[in-house]
Amino acid sequence: MKVDQISIFLENRAGRLGEVTRVLAESGVNIRALSLADTSDFGILRLIVSDFDKAKAVLKENGFTVGRTTVVAVEVPDTPGGLHSILGMLSENSVNVEYMYAFVQQSGKNAIMIFRFDRTDQAIKLLSEADFTIVPGAELYKM
Amino acid sequence: MIYDVEHETLPREDLEKLQLTRLKSLVERVYHNVPFYKKKLNEMGILPSDVKSLDDLKNLPFTEKQDLRDNYPFGMFAVPKENVVRIHASSGTTGKATVVGYTKRDIKNWAGLMARSFMSAGASSLDTVHNAYGYGLFTGGLGVHYGAEELGATIVPISGGGTRRQVLLLRDFAPSVICCTPSYMLVLIEAAEAAGIDFKSLPLRVGIFGAEPWSEEMKRDIEKRAGITTIDIYGLSEIMGPGVGIGCHEAQDGLHIFEDHFLPEIIDPETGEVLPPGEKGELVITTLTKEAQPLIRYRTRDITRLNYVPCKCGRTHVRMERVTGRSDDMLIIRGVNVFPSQIESILLETEGTAPHYQLIIERHGNMDTMEVRVEVDERFFSDEIKAMQAVEKKIQRNIKEFLGVTTKVTLVEPMGIERSVGKAQRIIDKREIK
């Protein structure tokens, strides 16, 4: 049910992001979704990729600090209040969202959101019980 | 317990008599056997017979690390090569290696001094010693080894590295004493935690740590997490190796320098002048008994102070403060003395790992600023901005707290800090001193 997200530490200077995309492109890794968080000094790039292990290996080879984070991909009903139905339920159960971003999908009725929760396992349990659709990593990587 | 009661508790007057006898013999020996010293003393117009009191020591020339390099490899030996039974050397990463030779008697003396050190740390022949100092040209491993054997303790010569195995042997062999660098002790503690082994449940009682500067905070942290008493040990290969000085478990207030073998002075590193007792400055050591490679007034570059107040442990030998920095890398930031090694200790304490770092000093108007650039290590990298910013803030807070200097802390990518000959360049001082 979980999704492996790769996180990369980036200094805030020209060309660093491009360096990541170059390394991934050259090794044939496809970027499925991304989020970039930044401060004045540094940024953290978070990626869902077609091949986590390969991406991690080539990025490390190229001197990047990378980490693995477990995130959850949830289908969000494409209606008013769709996202709120998820967040409301989780907050009632005291699960905190550390951050979230959208997964780009070419087709399909629902949007997919990537969530980083403070308590991943509990969040998965709650979401499943409430009949939300969780997209497994294996499916997501080749979507 | 005192290993060598006769020498370690000599009344100062008798100690000084012994030192003077040995000093005279030393100057005699180096004058006649080491061309480097003969030349130096001749140039200064000093004859061995001019040394009449300990006070005359201050007229003798200093010996610097560069002198050892200039005379590489065996030019400083005072005995024929066939009398040298062992050679140690520093790594030489910042220049030519510095070589040290030992005669049979030097090795015996060293073992005796290390046996004294163990007993001073509260160990005895009943103890098992886990020795994680590196064996080889580095003096740490073999110095500790011979000393523990001289004492009659059981030694586990594991040397450095192989951390997971070290942890298992700490559990299985149940040593009561451990010897390593303080930062490696932290690595061991973490590895044990990861393996589900609680250090506090082990019979380990005493840690003898040295070979790098470390702070009081790090000492307390290790004591708390490992449930042991930590004892500082001091030494340097040029003088002998570990066992030049050591803390005592009775007082745990400074390191006794074994003054019957090593004559210490504190000098002003700028002027070379001898400072009065109690003043902080650079430690200078004269080896009183070394045969193979005796040194006169060797400048250690280590910053400390000497305390001649008698210790409650009964040893009469002077005590030195734990080394907090070195005279060759001291920075003055807004009037505060800062040593890169102090920053390193703080980083070690903050993250428990040994990150690469760099200090950038600038002057804006009349104001000095210091930026600490720290390479992000996978062990503390997080995908959350707030966690990374918390690391920055924590480092900044600790530097402020320990050194009283406000710094900017910047996290940089690995290898973001230039390395010259494999070692990080620690300081970039952009100030123009007018």
Side-chain angles (χ1 to χ4, degrees):
Chain A
M1 298 299 264
K2 294 172 188 171
V3 177
D4 280 331
Q5 170 196 270
I6 193 161
S7 320
I8 303 140
F9 180 84
L10 293 176
E11 274 174 42
N12 223 347
R13 57 190 164 89
R16 291 314 283 163
L17 189 55
E19 188 63 15
V20 173
T21 52
R22 183 188 66 79
V23 168
L24 293 178
E26 283 173 2
S27 56
V29 173
N30 194 11
I31 299 170
R32 312 291 313 149
L34 74 81
S35 145
L36 181 60
D38 69 340
T39 70
S40 55
D41 296 329
F42 66 87
I44 296 170
L45 177 65
R46 302 148 184 159
L47 301 174
I48 310 288
V49 292
S50 57
D51 187 339
F52 176 89
D53 292 324
K54 192 171 185 183
K56 184 173 178 184
V58 294
L59 286 168
K60 276 187 84 161
E61 261 168 45
N62 281 274
F64 287 97
T65 299
V66 294
R68 180 199 293 255
T69 316
T70 302
V71 293
V72 182
V74 187
E75 278 195 21
V76 181
D78 193 8
T79 54
L83 182 57
H84 182 71
S85 64
I86 294 177
L87 295 179
M89 187 272 292
L90 288 168
S91 81
E92 274 166 30
N93 288 282
S94 304
V95 174
N96 187 34
V97 176
E98 303 285 1
Y99 56 79
M100 53 186 267
Y101 54 98
F103 186 90
V104 183
Q105 216 187 169
Q106 280 141 339
S107 60
K109 290 189 289 293
N110 295 336
I112 295 177
M113 294 295 294
I114 307 290
F115 289 94
R116 163 88 152 95
F117 297 113
D118 58 347
R119 279 172 290 161
T120 307
D121 291 323
Q122 199 195 344
I124 290 174
K125 189 164 168 280
L126 289 166
L127 288 163
S128 308
E129 282 166 6
D131 281 335
F132 284 102
T133 305
I134 298 176
V135 188
E139 201 175 304
L140 208 63
Y141 306 143
K142 53 184 175 0
M143 202 173 248
Chain B
M1 292 265 276
I2 297 176
Y3 182 78
D4 184 347
V5 179
E6 190 200 332
H7 290 103
E8 292 182 74
T9 62
L10 270 179
R12 182 137 298 270
E13 203 179 309
D14 298 339
L15 186 59
E16 286 181 356
K17 254 185 225 156
L18 179 67
Q19 286 176 326
L20 182 59
T21 308
R22 289 181 167 176
L23 178 66
K24 283 178 174 170
S25 144
L26 164 76
V27 180
E28 234 8 281
R29 277 186 292 128
V30 297
Y31 186 79
H32 291 109
N33 299 314
V34 186
F36 163 79
Y37 279 122
K38 181 162 203 165
K39 186 164 170 277
K40 212 153 195 183
L41 289 166
N42 280 344
E43 277 168 11
M44 296 170 82
I46 299 169
L47 285 171
S49 56
D50 292 335
V51 180
K52 295 192 173 69
S53 72
L54 284 181
D55 199 43
D56 293 328
L57 180 65
K58 65 173 191 297
N59 303 321
L60 298 175
F62 289 118
T63 308
E64 313 223 13
K65 199 182 186 88
Q66 191 56 43
D67 297 325
L68 301 186
R69 288 182 179 145
D70 292 346
N71 290 282
Y72 177 89
F74 306 140
M76 297 296 278
F77 284 7
V79 296
K81 182 72 189 311
E82 62 261 34
N83 293 355
V84 172
V85 299
R86 185 158 351 132
I87 287 165
H88 280 285
S90 71
S91 62
T93 46
T94 52
K96 238 181 217 168
T98 48
V99 175
V100 228
Y102 302 78
T103 63
K104 242 181 196 170
R105 181 175 298 173
D106 287 337
I107 295 286
K108 200 172 171 344
N109 279 340
W110 187 11
L113 289 168
M114 276 307 298
R116 285 188 192 181
S117 301
F118 275 115
M119 211 164 252
S120 182
S124 74
S125 61
L126 304 175
D127 281 294
T128 296
V129 180
H130 181 98
N131 183 17
Y133 279 119
Y135 280 65
L137 284 176
F138 171 60
T139 51
L142 286 167
V144 165
H145 185 99
Y146 275 63
E149 285 189 352
E150 176 73 24
L151 181 70
T154 309
I155 181 110
V156 182
I158 190 151
S159 191
T163 303
R164 281 179 58 189
R165 179 143 183 261
Q166 300 239 2
V167 170
L168 295 180
L169 293 191
L170 281 168
R171 184 193 62 191
D172 299 343
F173 292 179
S176 40
V177 178
I178 184 168
C179 301
C180 60
T181 60
S183 55
Y184 190 61
M185 184 62 189
L186 279 178
V187 171
L188 286 172
I189 291 172
E190 272 148 27
E193 281 166 4
I197 296 169
D198 182 5
F199 247 93
K200 291 198 282 297
S201 69
L202 303 176
L204 204 61
R205 205 179 75 240
V206 176
I208 299 176
F209 302 124
E212 66 187 10
W214 56 314
S215 63
E216 193 59 40
E217 286 71 21
M218 190 167 173
K219 186 179 168 78
R220 280 200 294 269
D221 185 45
I222 290 175
E223 294 198 331
K224 198 169 121 236
R225 289 166 75 186
I228 59 170
T229 301
T230 63
I231 301 286
D232 300 305
I233 188 162
Y234 178 75
L236 59 168
S237 66
E238 294 88 335
I239 295 301
M240 187 182 71
V244 173
I246 189 155
C248 57
H249 72 279
E250 290 94 342
Q252 291 189 42
D253 181 18
L255 293 77
H256 289 281
I257 296 178
F258 295 122
E259 277 188 281
D260 50 335
H261 292 268
F262 311 108
L263 188 50
E265 301 167 89
I266 297 290
I267 62 159
D268 178 330
E270 300 291 320
T271 63
E273 222 158 290
V274 178
L275 297 174
E279 294 269 313
K280 200 165 193 158
E282 182 183 328
L283 179 67
V284 169
I285 295 177
T286 298
T287 67
L288 292 174
T289 53
K290 277 276 281 289
E291 289 182 336
Q293 192 169 324
L295 298 179
I296 292 177
R297 304 191 82 198
Y298 183 72
R299 292 193 59 168
T300 66
R301 299 288 170 187
D302 290 322
I303 300 289
T304 183
R305 74 174 99 223
L306 297 178
N307 175 8
Y308 285 91
V309 175
C311 181
K312 67 176 177 192
C313 73
R315 288 176 185 80
T316 51
H317 296 186
V318 69
R319 284 175 285 170
M320 66 180 265
E321 238 174 37
R322 175 182 318 127
V323 171
T324 49
R326 295 177 53 78
S327 67
D328 43 7
D329 63 6
M330 188 178 84
L331 289 164
I332 300 173
I333 311 292
R334 275 168 283 171
V336 181
N337 293 354
V338 174
F339 294 97
S341 51
Q342 291 174 306
I343 304 277
E344 184 167 296
S345 303
I346 291 166
L347 293 174
L348 277 167
E349 283 157 51
T350 312
E351 288 315 316
T353 61
H356 282 286
Y357 66 94
Q358 190 172 51
L359 310 178
I360 297 171
I361 323 294
E362 284 177 289
R363 179 166 289 173
H364 299 287
N366 287 319
M367 194 69 166
D368 294 333
T369 60
M370 177 159 79
E371 180 187 354
V372 182
R373 291 162 64 82
V374 185
E375 281 187 11
V376 172
D377 183 285
E378 232 174 78
R379 286 167 287 192
F380 70 85
F381 173 53
S382 161
D383 62 314
E384 288 182 62
I385 292 278
K386 65 177 181 218
M388 297 306 284
Q389 284 178 327
V391 170
E392 283 184 341
K393 285 211 185 74
K394 204 160 114 195
I395 294 171
Q396 199 171 23
R397 205 173 49 233
N398 287 348
I399 293 174
K400 174 80 186 165
E401 192 177 317
F402 297 143
L403 303 181
V405 176
T406 305
T407 53
K408 175 175 164 51
V409 174
T410 309
L411 297 176
V412 300
E413 287 172 23
M415 306 303 288
I417 289 166
E418 290 166 45
R419 287 156 174 74
S420 54
V421 211
K423 269 195 181 173
Q425 192 189 346
R426 295 293 185 215
I427 304 165
I428 296 182
D429 199 335
K430 296 179 176 170
R431 289 177 294 189
E432 282 173 30
I433 306 301
K434 287 163 201 161

